Amino acid sequence: MDGTELYRKVILTVSGNIFVKWLSIKYGKKLASRFIAGDTLDEALDEIERLNAKGILVTLDHLGEGIRSLDEAAGYREEYLRLVEGIANRGVQSNISLKPTQMGMALDADTAYQNIKSVVRKAQEHGNFVRLDMEDSPYTQATIDMTLRLHKEGFTNVGTVMQAYLFRTEADVQDLMGAGVNLRLVKGAYKEAGTIAYQKKEDVIDNYKRIIKLHFDQGAYTAVASHDDRIIDWVKVFAEQARIDKQGFEFQMLYGLRMNDQAALAKDGYRIRCYMPYGTMWYPYFTRRLAEKPANLMMVLKNMFK
Ligand SMILES: Cc1cc2nc3c(=O)[nH]c(=O)nc-3n(C[C@H](O)[C@H](O)[C@H](O)COP(=O)(O)OP(=O)(O)OC[C@H]3O[C@@H](n4cnc5c(N)ncnc54)[C@H](O)[C@@H]3O)c2cc1C
């Protein structure tokens, strides 16, 4: 295991510690704000307008995961319905990302399905698209099944995410492409066992390139979500050689990371979409960002001592 892999594992483990969690929630809000567009929908919509003005598209996410009751899930469903309306009323260029566990997937699969379906239906009424984020491996199959079931019921405005670190992903990409599902391709953000996932970053990158190529080769609309120049530069060259128009696929990056580079990609004629979270349940999202890169932790620590 090299230093980066060790760092990622330590942060993901330490962040689960109850004392670290308490400390972070008490003192960390301001530090996390760099990665989060605000507490409220209105603040997020204002921020979308600012990014759209720079040519950056958005996917809007209301923070929340690992909920404990179906009432909580219903509350999030209502917030998402408001979010879909809010995007339509403001006329901003943003689609929607949501986490299946936030809608109750870990508690009751059918309720989660109904909750998600009502959001997807509302989005369809407004000509918008919903992305089911991919969470950790206990939910991989359930998320895929839900996406396919929605497609079969005529909701083709829903897609999901494929994680390059999982061994199963290449086969899943084949199946989902076959069903015409729009996919976001990522490396994967959770701690997964060596029995099901690549542990070395070179292996993840190799598999990532493999699934991106597979996706492009089938003529599917490809969304590559990464901050890694090894991937971004490779995709640019691949697309150019395959004569794929810069508007025929999209890059995606997270809010608060490489914002100048996001604007530069837009200026260069590429489609670039920024994943923008808002809301008050920021802790798990924030710790995954810290785990991804020591520089993210350094940036936060520097701000802390300013
Ligand atoms: C839009 C979006 C949506 C996502 N959705 C999901 C999801 O649904 N499920 C999921 O599991 N994961 C998701 N992820 C997270 C993803 O799986 C990775 O954990 C995350 O993107 C980190 O991998 P990376 O390829 O960006 O680069 P990393 O592996 O973090 O970094 C690799 C290299 O990229 C460069 N780099 C990285 N960050 C920066 C920076 N800020 N500035 C300059 N250079 C940098 C550095 O050279 C670094 O060494 C999403 C990511 C994005 C961008």
Side-chain angles (χ1 to χ4, degrees):
M1 191 186 297
D2 76 7
T4 323
E5 287 149 27
L6 182 65
Y7 168 82
R8 182 167 174 270
K9 283 215 162 77
V10 168
I11 295 285
L12 288 175
T13 306
V14 166
S15 61
N17 177 289
I18 197 81
F19 178 65
V20 173
K21 207 167 184 166
W22 176 81
L23 256 183
S24 309
I25 288 174
K26 200 162 165 49
Y27 298 108
K29 170 79 195 292
K30 199 160 173 289
L31 308 175
S33 66
R34 189 197 153 100
F35 301 104
I36 290 150
D39 285 350
T40 66
L41 176 59
D42 276 338
E43 285 171 304
L45 291 169
D46 289 346
E47 191 59 10
I48 297 177
E49 278 178 355
R50 278 193 280 276
L51 294 194
N52 283 172
K54 295 179 183 166
I56 301 170
L57 308 166
V58 171
T59 185
L60 187 59
D61 164 65
H62 184 262
L63 289 166
E65 55 197 283
I67 56 151
R68 298 212 181 92
S69 76
L70 291 176
D71 283 348
E72 242 184 294
Y76 280 126
R77 179 197 63 218
E78 294 308 303
E79 180 64 30
Y80 263 96
L81 293 172
R82 275 195 293 279
L83 179 164
V84 175
E85 293 282 358
I87 290 172
N89 292 341
R90 282 270 193 120
V92 287
Q93 288 193 292
S94 174
N95 63 30
I96 297 116
S97 285
L98 66 75
K99 294 205 164 22
T101 61
Q102 191 178 12
M103 295 288 148
M105 186 183 262
L107 304 174
D108 181 65
D110 201 53
T111 306
Y113 182 74
Q114 297 306 332
N115 285 340
I116 291 174
K117 188 161 126 177
S118 59
V119 176
V120 172
R121 180 186 288 120
K122 172 74 72 191
Q124 193 179 53
E125 283 164 18
H126 289 291
N128 211 337
F129 174 82
V130 179
R131 172 87 55 200
L132 304 188
D133 285 346
M134 189 58 82
E135 300 173 82
D136 42 349
S137 53
Y139 307 109
T140 309
Q141 192 58 50
T143 303
I144 291 172
D145 290 346
M146 187 172 281
T147 308
L148 290 171
R149 189 172 160 199
L150 285 161
H151 262 250
K152 279 198 190 112
E153 289 192 28
F155 297 104
T156 51
N157 63 319
V158 66
T160 188
V161 181
M162 292 281 102
Q163 298 156 321
Y165 61 16
L166 292 184
F167 298 155
R168 58 176 287 168
T169 291
E170 193 173 340
D172 288 337
V173 169
Q174 296 269 21
D175 289 349
L176 287 158
M177 272 187 328
V181 175
N182 179 312
L183 297 174
R184 170 198 295 152
L185 307 177
V186 301
K187 284 183 190 167
Y190 299 84
K191 198 165 69 174
E192 298 290 0
T195 47
I196 59 165
Y198 296 106
Q199 303 293 310
K200 289 195 189 138
K201 57 179 190 266
E202 293 75 23
D203 292 340
V204 176
I205 287 178
D206 285 349
N207 199 41
Y208 199 13
K209 288 181 179 169
R210 221 170 6 251
I211 59 172
I212 293 171
K213 181 173 181 323
L214 186 68
H215 209 235
F216 270 131
D217 284 347
Q218 296 291 320
Y221 182 82
T222 304
V224 178
S226 174
H227 312 96
D228 190 338
D229 282 330
R230 285 166 297 186
I231 295 297
I232 295 164
D233 293 342
W234 182 86
V235 167
K236 283 180 177 172
V237 171
F238 183 91
E240 200 180 332
Q241 286 173 351
R243 295 176 192 278
I244 299 164
D245 190 83
K246 285 180 178 174
Q247 293 287 310
F249 65 99
E250 69 186 49
F251 289 114
Q252 297 187 355
M253 292 192 193
L254 300 175
Y255 181 79
L257 295 180
R258 306 197 73 169
M259 294 310 295
N260 290 339
D261 295 329
Q262 294 191 36
L265 280 166
K267 217 168 166 197
D268 235 16
Y270 290 101
R271 275 171 79 81
I272 165 81
R273 189 176 298 278
C274 178
Y275 183 107
M276 181 190 286
Y278 77 95
T280 51
M281 292 293 290
W282 50 267
Y283 183 76
Y285 179 84
F286 177 54
T287 53
R288 281 199 299 279
R289 300 296 74 85
L290 295 188
E292 273 156 15
K293 207 168 178 290
N296 290 345
L297 179 61
M298 290 314 290
M299 191 162 68
V300 162
L301 291 175
K302 250 193 251 159
N303 285 341
M304 210 162 132
F305 293 111
K306 259 186 193 162

